[in-house]
Amino acid sequence: MTTPVPDRDSYLKEWSVLHGEYDPVGGPLIVRQWLALVYRLGRPTAARGVSPSTITVAAAVMTAAMLPPVVAGGRWPLLAAVLVVVGGLLDNLDGCVAVLTGRVTAWGYVLDSLADRVADTVCLVAFWLLGAPGEVCAAAGVALGLLEYLRARAGNAGFGEIGVVTIGERPTRIIIAMTVMLAAAADPVRGHLAGLIGAAGTFGVCAVGLVQLATVINRTLDGAGRSTAQVVLRGTDHVSDDLRGHGDQRQAAARMRRPAHQEQTGDR
């Protein structure tokens, strides 16, 4: 049993609205290609009525399943690379299905964010299991967490959900994890080096992304704050003018109500 779903243009318009009016058509080529792929997979999935939350949970489980192959070592990290890619694809597929089926909810947004953080943590643990120093993995986790926290807090302050695509976004982190797993599978002896590169690379892109995002947020919110202040000041000026006008009217009314003998005395 299938149901009609919107076409790709309608999907992209709705996606833009849900992501701070970010224009995917005018954005980077990789964003357009990725969304096109997600739509091609999401259309038949949505037509069959699959729940977006089910896909979200499946994405987190799929990514978590990469840990046993990493522990196994040898050529097994190759399977981990496949699981990372599939988990990342499912992570985008749930949002696509939610849009196409009109089932976008606040809970779905929260659940998706939670699943993303689980997947990010799993990848850092995988780097550590390969042999990356715990300190480097922890530093990568801090940079990643600050990047995502800054975006979330800025959103609460009125900044668009995307606003700017930084170098440290999840697709970049997924590519790093996939590449690390492939390298570890190709040369198991140097798997620890691959893990170190993965952790350091994640730290690097997230640190740069943090600076990029902070710069744009500061410029955007600072400009919005000045505009709001100007509106408030103009409104205050109008209120002051009104108060002065009302004061003049009250003085004129008082003179009109003043008895004639007081007016005459005043003239003298």
Side-chain angles (χ1 to χ4, degrees), residues 164-168 205 207-217 219:
V164 57
V165 177
T166 72
I167 193 175
V205 297
V208 174
L210 183 62
V211 174
Q212 289 179 300
L213 185 60
T215 301
V216 174
I217 289 175
R219 183 169 61 246

Side-chain angles (χ1 to χ4, degrees), residues 170-182:
R170 258 188 64 73
T172 303
R173 303 196 296 262
I174 291 173
I175 291 173
I176 290 176
M178 177 196 69
T179 304
V180 167
M181 296 304 125
L182 291 176

